[in-house]
Amino acid sequence: MKLIRTEDAVGHVLCHDMTQIIKGAYKDARFRKGHVVRREDIPVLLSMGKEHLYVWEMVPGMVHENDAAERLCALCFSKNMIRSQAKEGKIELSAACGGLFRVDSRHLLAVNSIDNIMIATRHGNTAVRPGDKLAGTRIIPLVIEEETLRAAEEAAGQEPLLELLPWKLKTAAIVATGSEVKSGLIQDTFTPVVQEKLATYGIETLAVIYSGDGVDNVANAIAQVRETGAELILCTGGMSVDPDDNTPGGIRASGARIVSYGAPVLPGAMLLIGYYAGGVPVLGLPGCVMYAGATIFDLILPRIAAGVEITRAEIAAMGEGGLCLGCKPCRFPICPFGK
């Protein structure tokens, strides 16, 4: 930073805001910190009483904050995103469509570990709506060394740090287990909850079959709903370890490849995730999905709806942040659950 005559400031970067006051009409920053002084700015600055300015001297090998923000934005930007113009050294990204927002956490950490570099994002593996803010990029100083930006670009790797996958699945079918539900002794209050959650992602429920109890009955019901061509199969209830809870056995008997039975998440520890040939997912949903404000189902459904296959390692990683605090009223997803 140095103090120079205003007439000599063309091409230099302002170190602080320049406020202009016109009595009865205007009082605001006429020139913002980071502004590159142009020749036509000189008369205006002089009329504001600014005969000298504190500036960053732009020397070879240094990059202005707006240009640096463009390069950081390029590390993040991908399909289905909208970017803002660079303003005061910052560019923001937002969602062009609804979908699953994902972050390359390892490479993002590597970039943010470099001095004077900053990329802030919302949590990955979360659902976003059109217009939702996704990320912001900027450098910390007004100017930065070219070699620092090159180090950030190398640390970012070959692919964009951020990804937005539109919702892919369109249809689902439900197998509602339990003899008490099939016989009508109790009302099915589980299915409407699941249908409502599916509809949030544009997924239509093609069929609901009441299987009753027993491994064979559950497996046969699954076979029936698979004939509908549904892209997602959900089995409700019967997921605990009680002897008469046969849903996990029925899913296995139906030919599914089981990825995980159990998850380090409360509520939702008894979740089952599996896949059929062709990549059709099947979920065994524990009873908590019916009455709890947010559960494991809410955490994985965005990934399922976007067509992302879930691995055992991803389920294991949900333990940190997987404890719902039971806030009243429930504010999910504006809360720490699953993050």
Side-chain angles (χ1 to χ4, degrees):
M1 186 173 68
K2 68 176 183 177
L3 185 66
I4 63 175
R5 295 174 63 248
T6 297
E7 292 90 338
D8 300 330
V10 175
H12 291 282
V13 180
L14 294 178
C15 290
H16 56 86
D17 292 349
M18 295 290 175
T19 300
Q20 183 179 42
I21 301 175
I22 302 175
K23 185 178 179 180
Y26 185 87
K27 181 182 178 181
D28 199 358
R30 179 63 185 271
F31 301 101
R32 295 287 185 184
K33 178 184 73 171
H35 176 73
V36 179
V37 179
R38 303 164 298 177
R39 188 165 301 281
E40 59 265 33
D41 298 333
I42 301 302
V44 179
L45 287 162
L46 291 173
S47 73
M48 295 165 55
K50 305 297 183 182
E51 296 182 353
H52 294 83
L53 302 173
Y54 280 102
V55 298
W56 283 97
E57 189 176 13
M58 292 302 293
V59 297
M62 301 298 289
V63 181
H64 181 262
E65 61 176 353
N66 283 347
D67 296 325
E70 293 284 354
R71 290 171 63 172
L72 295 180
C73 176
L75 302 182
C76 301
F77 187 81
S78 58
K79 290 190 301 182
N80 306 311
M81 296 180 187
I82 301 170
R83 50 151 294 171
S84 70
Q85 294 300 310
K87 182 179 180 182
E88 298 178 16
K90 180 173 66 175
I91 294 175
E92 292 186 343
L93 300 178
S94 57
C97 66
L100 176 72
F101 177 62
R102 304 218 296 176
V103 178
D104 183 342
S105 301
R106 181 171 66 89
H107 284 103
L108 177 63
L109 175 60
V111 171
N112 280 328
S113 296
I114 297 172
D115 286 346
N116 293 322
I117 297 292
M118 189 226 78
I119 299 175
T121 78
R122 70 193 297 145
H123 282 287
N125 282 324
T126 53
V128 297
R129 298 168 296 181
D132 280 354
K133 189 181 297 186
L134 303 177
T137 70
R138 70 170 304 153
I139 59 171
I140 305 304
L142 292 174
V143 294
I144 195 168
E145 297 85 355
E146 168 68 27
E147 63 185 41
T148 301
L149 283 176
R150 288 180 180 173
E153 290 164 344
E154 183 176 349
Q158 299 299 313
E159 300 297 326
L161 296 172
L162 310 180
E163 185 178 30
L164 178 54
L165 303 177
W167 305 130
K168 181 178 179 181
L169 272 60
K170 303 298 182 184
T171 59
I174 298 173
V175 173
T177 69
S179 58
E180 70 281 11
V181 178
K182 183 177 182 179
S183 65
L185 291 176
I186 66 169
Q187 181 181 359
D188 177 15
T189 56
F190 206 150
T191 297
V193 171
V194 175
Q195 289 176 313
E196 182 178 356
K197 291 181 183 292
L198 293 173
T200 301
Y201 299 94
I203 300 175
E204 177 188 2
T205 302
L206 297 181
V208 179
I209 291 183
Y210 295 93
S211 68
D213 292 320
V215 170
D216 291 342
N217 288 335
V218 173
N220 290 336
I222 292 174
Q224 292 180 56
V225 296
R226 289 186 66 191
E227 291 179 358
T228 67
E231 298 166 292
L232 168 63
I233 309 297
L234 304 113
C235 301
T236 61
M239 291 301 303
S240 76
V241 294
D242 295 338
D244 58 349
D245 283 335
N246 301 133
T247 303
I251 294 174
R252 287 192 179 92
S254 70
R257 170 178 60 86
I258 306 302
V259 172
S260 176
Y261 175 30
V265 176
L266 291 173
M270 306 309 293
L271 174 83
L272 184 147
I273 301 176
Y275 288 90
Y276 295 106
V280 175
V282 56
L283 305 181
L285 301 180
C288 60
V289 174
M290 177 171 46
Y291 59 81
T295 70
I296 181 67
F297 186 42
D298 299 281
L299 301 185
I300 67 165
L301 184 54
R303 304 184 211 190
I304 296 290
V308 174
E309 183 165 328
I310 299 175
T311 67
R312 181 70 185 88
E314 289 176 305
I315 294 297
M318 288 182 171
E320 182 178 358
L323 178 64
C324 174
L325 302 180
C327 303
K328 303 296 183 183
C330 176
R331 297 180 178 86
F332 182 83
I334 312 301
C335 74
F337 181 51
K339 302 179 178 66

